[in-house]
Amino acid sequence: MSTDDATEKARANGNGVELPSTQRLIPFENKDHNPESYEDMQLDYSPLLFSSLERYLPPNMLNLPRDRKVHFLSDILTRYSPQGEHTRVQKHRKYRQQILSNYEPRHKELYTMNAANFFVPSFLKAISENSEESFRSIMVEPTPGVYTFEMFQPKFCEMLMAEVESMERWVHDQRFHIICPNTMNKYGVVLDDFGLETMLNKLMDGYICPMSRVFFPEVGGLTLDSHHGFVVEYGVNRDIELGFHVDDSEVTLNVCLGEQFYGGDLFFRGVRCDKHVNTETQSEEVFDYAHIPGRAVLHRGRHRHGARATISGHRVNLVIWCRSSVFRELKKHQNDFSSWCGDCRREKKERQHLSVAATKLELLKRDGISAS
């Protein structure tokens, strides 16, 4: 048997149907398919990502053994990842394992989702009713696409801040170099690296996704499948402010945990696609938001924003970047984002206006010729 034949045999499913190497995900979701859980498997990518992508497998692959689906999806993820991403993922796994093997959690109850102890009753009631009406009953939308609401109980905020303090003390005592939360924030902790990934996955899947499906379906809110969860700190001997930027997310949850501080307001300046990310802000897109401990801000990742200087005190925020691999893949093949990009929408309206004007002019010319 040739090498090629052996490769093709290795791709065969349990029914003897061979799967060509060019097999791809389908462009629409198998909505009736109930994907498997991959939480118990050692994977290079988030288990939730595999469950989400499983809905987009070709029909002849949906009932394959789980390990075969993992092999196929892992191959796709590796092929579509930037060069060197697989190596980076492997190194990060070793880095995370080193932390998990040595860090002893201070508040172990944080590491398991306990909704009754984490969330305020009004938020839980809205989530249980799971409707746009119930969500809006607890929300304020001070500017289009930015939603604020009470989310966490004070006790949860206090415990999480204490846990972060414990993480930072361990890092200092061990002289361990940790990865910064993102490319802009130098102070804070990536919570996923310290064992909170599973809890934050459940937070995204059970409590952020229901709202995102309602309010952000056009930017991947229907298919969120992975996250990056971290805490950032502002104040003396910490980050002071945060420059104008967009997040590496489809949907962002930002919750102020505390403490006493002055300043640090968020400023929003309109939603933009990659092409228009640095374009001028329109007057109606200007909005500033003052943080309140326990209160959440939910917005599109592409909603341009920043944080003003924290003049005094110490501010701590929990941030969860929620991502959709499906939306990111589909976006590569699109060039019209007028459903969510402010400038794309304005350009589309201008084209429509010019088209209508040109049609009217053509009709007037024809009427003139007919009259003559």
Side-chain angles (χ1 to χ4, degrees):
M1 181 183 292
S2 70
T3 302
D4 289 345
D5 289 340
T7 301
E8 285 302 308
K9 283 292 183 182
R11 296 178 185 276
N13 67 20
N15 297 319
V17 179
E18 293 189 341
L19 305 172
S21 59
T22 55
Q23 188 93 60
R24 299 180 178 180
L25 298 177
I26 60 176
F28 50 88
E29 182 180 9
N30 292 291
K31 293 185 178 181
D32 295 332
H33 177 68
N34 186 27
E36 297 189 69
S37 170
Y38 297 85
E39 294 285 348
D40 61 325
M41 301 182 74
Q42 290 293 322
L43 304 168
D44 287 341
Y45 304 91
S46 166
L48 201 58
L49 181 58
F50 284 85
S51 295
S52 176
L53 289 177
E54 185 179 320
R55 292 181 181 275
Y56 293 85
L57 287 173
N60 64 325
M61 296 186 67
L62 292 175
N63 295 316
L64 286 179
R66 196 170 55 149
D67 60 337
R68 291 185 181 273
K69 287 186 279 193
V70 165
H71 178 77
F72 176 78
L73 292 172
S74 294
D75 181 58
I76 288 178
L77 289 168
T78 300
R79 282 190 283 120
Y80 280 92
S81 296
Q83 190 173 11
E85 177 67 10
H86 185 68
T87 301
R88 187 198 68 78
V89 169
Q90 293 282 7
K91 288 182 177 179
H92 191 264
R93 177 194 282 181
K94 292 180 180 177
Y95 159 84
R96 182 177 289 185
Q97 189 57 47
Q98 188 175 356
I99 295 175
L100 297 178
S101 299
N102 293 281
Y103 174 70
E104 183 66 27
R106 178 176 176 179
H107 292 291
K108 293 184 179 180
E109 58 267 44
L110 285 173
Y111 292 73
T112 303
M113 173 55 67
N114 189 330
N117 290 338
F118 289 3
F119 305 113
V120 297
S122 60
F123 178 75
L124 284 177
K125 183 174 184 293
I127 291 295
S128 66
E129 293 177 2
N130 194 23
S131 68
E132 180 173 354
E133 182 181 3
S134 68
F135 298 146
R136 288 194 179 278
S137 71
I138 64 167
M139 290 177 166
V140 176
E141 187 180 8
T143 193
V146 175
Y147 302 91
T148 71
F149 48 94
E150 292 291 333
M151 186 174 187
F152 290 125
Q153 295 182 25
K155 184 179 178 181
F156 171 84
C157 296
E158 292 167 6
M159 278 200 303
L160 185 53
M161 285 192 293
E163 190 69 35
V164 169
E165 183 180 341
S166 176
M167 293 171 182
E168 292 175 336
R169 189 181 303 113
W170 177 84
V171 168
H172 179 269
D173 293 344
Q174 298 295 317
R175 296 183 179 180
F176 190 86
H177 177 71
I178 61 171
I179 297 173
C180 294
N182 54 66
T183 58
M184 298 182 73
N185 288 99
K186 304 306 178 187
Y187 294 92
V189 174
V190 179
L191 298 177
D192 300 318
D193 292 340
F194 279 80
L196 283 159
E197 181 179 29
T198 299
M199 189 277 282
L200 293 179
N201 255 340
K202 291 180 179 179
L203 195 157
M204 181 187 75
D205 198 36
Y207 302 92
I208 301 175
C209 285
M211 296 182 290
S212 298
R213 293 186 192 107
V214 171
F215 299 115
F216 307 119
E218 75 290 346
V219 293
L222 296 169
T223 55
L224 298 177
D225 52 31
S226 66
H227 78 271
H228 177 56
F230 54 94
V231 161
V232 290
E233 297 181 74
Y234 295 87
V236 179
N237 298 324
R238 294 290 188 269
D239 289 315
I240 300 298
E241 59 188 3
L242 191 63
F244 190 58
H245 68 284
V246 294
D247 294 336
D248 183 13
S249 70
E250 274 59 72
V251 176
T252 293
L253 179 80
N254 186 342
V255 189
C256 180
L257 302 176
E259 301 174 81
Q260 297 295 320
F261 58 90
Y262 180 75
D265 290 1
L266 283 178
F267 59 90
F268 289 91
R269 297 296 184 264
V271 185
R272 296 290 188 276
C273 64
D274 290 339
K275 177 183 175 182
H276 296 116
V277 69
N278 291 315
T279 57
E280 185 178 351
T281 300
Q282 304 299 310
S283 59
E284 65 272 14
E285 296 176 320
V286 175
F287 171 67
D288 286 18
Y289 171 78
H291 285 291
I292 302 173
R295 194 167 181 85
V297 183
L298 189 71
H299 61 85
R300 295 175 181 86
R302 299 296 307 186
H303 203 140
R304 302 181 301 178
H305 61 285
R308 303 195 187 283
T310 298
I311 299 171
S312 64
H314 181 212
R315 177 167 67 84
V316 183
N317 279 58
L318 166 66
V319 180
I320 304 177
W321 286 350
C322 304
R323 297 160 173 166
S324 167
S325 56
V326 173
F327 174 76
R328 294 187 177 204
E329 179 58 28
L330 293 175
K331 194 169 70 168
K332 295 177 184 177
H333 310 288
Q334 298 173 340
N335 53 27
D336 177 18
F337 305 107
S338 56
S339 64
W340 54 271
C341 171
D343 273 0
C344 282
R345 186 180 302 114
R346 278 183 283 275
E347 289 178 356
K348 184 175 183 178
K349 287 183 178 179
E350 180 62 22
R351 289 194 301 269
Q352 292 173 338
H353 175 75
L354 292 174
S355 177
V356 170
T359 301
K360 286 181 178 179
L361 183 60
E362 182 63 27
L363 290 173
L364 288 173
K365 286 180 180 179
R366 290 181 183 177
D367 288 344
I369 293 173
S370 298
S372 63

